[in-house]
């Protein structure tokens, strides 16, 4: 009986007893200006439109005198001057709980899959501060992704934050779907921001699959939705991950993509009068990115391991958003278009990628094996032109000869079919055979032997 009344008690507790109202004075694209209500930046309001059964959700993004500027979470059609605006008395909060598992939600955390309401155990603020750095647990345990190239040469720790950088059509979404299906994390939280509508169902049904969805929560804001919805979807995704981390779980967060999050803030910033700075991005974009990314990682209870995809405009790895994200995260995985053109999947450019915490979560022999393989790869890349042209004569350099002899085996090791997961034991055994360095079974564990 107590559980039956919980949702009604929560509704009463969240209801603002004093109702502050205002009225619409103008509409410019998705920006609605009103006189009143009394409100604060970030507060949720509703606009009562005569042609709609349900009021339109909007968020306060600017204040000037008596004027309130709001961005709507839906189409502005039907709004007229004089329409009533009602303040809710609270900022965007996300309903969270174990009932979210297996569900698809929208940019406000409400059901998007037509499967009925989600019973909320509590509410988390969408916008929150990162954990106190002095209370973060150290990253000292390895997480399994099921992708050989990552688990071997780019090992990732639980609570580490990685970027996946690539141009369009190089395999970012495919890579995160492989990780989502095969990781040993307790829960997957997946944010799809600015995706095409077709890709959402493809990802859920084809890439993630029924088993993957059972332990996942998917947050969706498609490219046709208003910029405020695409922006807040990033915060809702993070808030849901924070809830499960606070339950002591190891969470895998996959966010696609930071670039579209930045585009959404650029649209809002320019609409509210912010001056453009680098390549048309207003200063607020570069302030918001680290505040969002720093919320993941470890805290005193659990961990959020995060993979953020970045759509690299024109394959330029030095463009502003790419550069900002790369400087904030704990490592980066670069997907190479030329590798994809050769049908080398996943198209991970090992020599351009780095995991800054790999040595913390791997054993000594694993590190030696990785160093040897990387050295062969670097040598082959430096001499590739003379090798292919037939200029190099075998026997002139032992180092180059070794690189040539192992080149095809390394390629075979790094290539992996999308639906062929590789366990940690299988990956490290193959790495051991490839490098010729024995990796003891103790290093297969989640927490390898202490470093010498």
């Amino acid at each position: 009986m107590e559980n039956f009344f919980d949702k009604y008690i929560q509704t009463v507790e969240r209801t603002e007893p004093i109702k502050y109202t205002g009225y619409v004075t103008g509409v410019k694209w998705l920006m609605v200006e009103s006189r009143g209500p009394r409100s604060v930046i970030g507060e949720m309001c509703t606009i009562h439109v005569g042609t709609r059964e349900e009021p339109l959700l909007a968020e306060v993004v600017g204040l000037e005198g008596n004027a309130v500027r709001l961005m709507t979470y839906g189409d502005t059609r039907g709004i007229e001057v004089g329409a009533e605006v009602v303040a809710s008395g609270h900022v965007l909060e996300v309903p969270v709980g174990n009932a979210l598992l297996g569900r698809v939600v929208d940019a406000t955390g409400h059901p998007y899959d037509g499967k009925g309401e989600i019973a909320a155990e509590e509410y988390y603020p969408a916008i929150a501060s990162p954990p106190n750095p002095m209370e973060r647990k150290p990253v000292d345990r390895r997480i399994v992704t099921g992708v050989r190239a990552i688990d071997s040469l780019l090992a990732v720790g639980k609570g580490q934050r990685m970027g996946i950088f690539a141009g369009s059509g190089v395999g970012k979404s495919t890579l995160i779907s492989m990780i989502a299906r095969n990781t040993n994390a307790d829960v997957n939280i997946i944010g799809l921001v600015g995706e095409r509508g077709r890709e959402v169902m493809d990802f859920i049904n084809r890439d993630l699959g029924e088993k993957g969805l059972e332990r996942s929560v998917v947050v969706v804001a498609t490219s046709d939705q208003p910029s405020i919805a695409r922006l807040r979807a990033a915060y809702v995704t993070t808030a849901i991950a924070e809830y499960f981390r606070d339950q002591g779980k190891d969470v895998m967060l996959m966010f696609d993509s930071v670039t579209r999050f930045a585009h959404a803030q650029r649209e809002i910033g320019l609409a509210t009068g912010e001056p453009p700075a680098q390549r048309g991005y207003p200063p607020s974009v570069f302030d918001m990115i680290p505040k969002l990314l720093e919320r993941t990682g470890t805290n005193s209870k659990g961990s959020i391991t995060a993979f953020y995809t970045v759509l690299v405009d024109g394959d330029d790895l030095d463009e502003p958003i790419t550069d900002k994200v790369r400087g904030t995260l704990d490592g980066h995985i670069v997907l190479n278009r030329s590798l994809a053109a050769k049908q080398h999947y996943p198209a991970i450019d090992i020599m351009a990628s780095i995991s800054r915490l790999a040595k913390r979560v791997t054993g000594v022999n694993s590190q030696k094996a990785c160093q040897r393989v990387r050295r062969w790869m670097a040598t082959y890349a430096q001499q590739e032109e003379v090798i292919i042209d037939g200029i190099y004569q075998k026997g002139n350099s032992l180092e180059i000869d070794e690189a040539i002899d192992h080149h095809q085996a390394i390629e075979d090791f790094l290539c992996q079919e999308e639906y062929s997961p590789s366990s940690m034991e299988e990956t490290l055994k193959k790495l051991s055979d490839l490098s010729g360095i024995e990796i003891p079974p103790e290093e297969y564990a989640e927490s390898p032997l202490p470093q010498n």
Side-chain angles (χ1 to χ4, degrees):
M1 183 64 70
E2 182 180 348
N3 292 334
F4 179 81
F5 285 106
D6 278 352
K7 63 179 182 178
Y8 300 108
I9 293 171
Q10 287 180 353
T11 301
V12 172
E13 288 176 345
R14 288 168 47 80
T15 301
E16 180 64 38
I18 301 175
K19 184 168 142 180
Y20 293 101
T21 63
Y23 58 89
V24 173
T25 58
V27 180
K28 299 176 183 176
W29 184 51
L30 292 177
M31 181 73 71
V32 176
E33 292 189 356
S34 68
R35 185 176 178 85
R38 178 182 169 185
S39 54
V40 298
I41 294 292
E43 186 168 344
M44 303 302 294
C45 298
T46 52
I47 302 174
H48 293 263
V49 183
T51 57
R52 303 186 188 207
E53 293 183 6
E54 296 290 332
L56 181 62
L57 196 64
E59 183 175 325
V60 177
V61 296
L63 300 169
E64 186 176 348
N66 291 326
V68 178
R69 294 191 178 94
L70 307 109
M71 293 290 285
T72 64
Y73 280 78
D75 200 337
T76 55
R77 283 180 298 179
I79 298 178
E80 59 186 355
V81 172
E84 185 181 40
V85 181
V86 181
S88 67
H90 57 81
V91 297
L92 180 60
E93 293 179 315
V94 187
V96 292
N98 288 323
L100 279 170
L101 294 174
R103 300 299 299 272
V104 182
V105 299
D106 64 13
T108 61
H110 291 93
Y112 199 59
D113 51 13
K115 296 180 180 178
E117 288 298 315
I118 299 171
E121 294 176 16
E122 55 183 304
Y123 287 82
Y124 263 46
I127 300 176
S129 300
N132 185 329
M134 302 304 293
E135 296 177 359
R136 289 184 184 265
K137 289 181 179 179
V139 178
D140 56 8
R141 297 176 298 148
R142 178 166 46 200
I143 198 164
V144 177
T145 66
V147 181
R148 274 196 302 272
I150 298 175
D151 288 341
S152 57
L153 302 178
L154 298 166
V156 178
K158 290 188 176 181
Q160 188 170 347
R161 301 159 306 143
M162 296 284 285
I164 300 175
F165 297 84
S168 57
V170 187
K172 297 185 301 300
S173 297
T174 301
L175 182 57
I176 66 171
S177 70
M178 289 176 69
I179 296 170
R181 287 194 304 272
N182 304 320
T183 181
N184 64 342
D186 300 319
V187 179
N188 291 323
I189 310 297
I190 303 165
L192 303 177
V193 174
E195 290 284 356
R196 293 180 284 272
R198 173 190 61 79
E199 291 179 327
V200 172
M201 289 307 298
D202 280 353
F203 180 86
I204 294 171
N205 295 330
R206 185 182 69 85
D207 296 336
L208 192 57
E210 186 176 341
K211 288 188 177 179
L213 184 60
E214 284 177 0
R215 60 175 182 141
S216 302
V217 183
V218 182
V219 182
V220 174
T222 53
S223 58
D224 61 303
Q225 293 185 11
S227 49
I228 190 68
R230 285 179 277 128
L231 183 78
R232 289 298 176 243
Y235 292 99
V236 167
T237 303
T238 307
I240 293 172
E242 288 172 330
Y243 165 76
F244 285 104
R245 177 178 63 185
D246 288 346
Q247 307 307 305
K249 296 185 182 297
D250 291 317
V251 180
M252 176 66 78
L253 182 148
M254 285 152 286
F255 184 80
D256 187 14
S257 72
V258 177
T259 306
R260 296 189 179 111
F261 164 79
H263 289 173
Q265 177 56 28
R266 178 172 63 183
E267 293 170 14
I268 294 170
L270 295 176
T272 54
E274 257 194 284
Q278 299 181 56
R279 295 202 188 178
Y281 290 101
S284 61
V285 171
F286 302 99
D287 177 61
M288 294 178 79
I289 286 176
K291 288 181 178 178
L292 175 69
L293 304 188
E294 284 291 340
R295 288 172 60 182
T296 54
T298 61
N299 68 359
S300 60
K301 300 173 182 175
S303 70
I304 301 174
T305 307
F307 284 87
Y308 296 97
T309 71
V310 180
L311 180 62
V312 182
D313 292 336
D315 292 338
D316 178 11
L317 287 169
D318 292 321
E319 63 94 24
I321 300 302
T322 301
D323 195 50
K324 184 69 176 178
V325 174
R326 187 172 54 213
T328 304
L329 298 178
D330 304 316
H332 52 271
I333 297 169
V334 177
L335 303 187
N336 189 302
R337 191 176 296 278
S338 64
L339 288 176
K342 297 174 185 175
Q343 301 301 302
H344 181 295
Y345 289 109
I348 299 174
D349 187 341
I350 296 294
M351 304 313 295
S353 306
I354 189 171
S355 172
R356 294 192 178 111
L357 304 181
K359 287 189 176 181
R360 294 190 188 181
V361 297
T362 55
V364 174
N365 287 47
S366 299
Q367 292 172 24
K368 289 178 180 177
C370 290
Q371 288 167 1
R372 181 172 290 182
V373 172
R374 276 182 171 269
R375 187 167 61 248
W376 285 334
M377 293 179 70
T379 300
Y380 189 90
Q382 290 168 1
Q383 306 297 329
E384 185 172 16
E385 193 171 322
V386 297
I387 293 170
I388 292 175
D389 292 344
I391 299 172
Y392 174 74
Q393 296 298 314
K394 198 164 186 182
N396 289 341
S397 168
L398 177 61
E399 190 175 358
I400 297 175
D401 290 348
E402 285 185 344
I404 294 172
D405 292 340
H406 290 89
H407 175 68
Q408 189 55 53
I410 292 172
E411 290 291 297
D412 293 341
F413 174 74
L414 295 177
C415 288
Q416 184 176 346
E417 293 292 332
E418 182 180 351
Y419 292 97
S420 300
S422 182
S423 67
M424 184 60 69
E425 183 178 359
E426 181 186 350
T427 294
L428 293 185
K429 280 183 177 178
K430 287 186 176 183
L431 177 63
S432 178
D433 294 341
L434 175 62
S435 64
I437 296 175
E438 185 178 353
I439 300 175
E442 301 84 60
E443 293 192 18
Y444 300 170
E446 183 180 296
S447 301
L449 292 170
Q451 306 298 306
N452 293 331

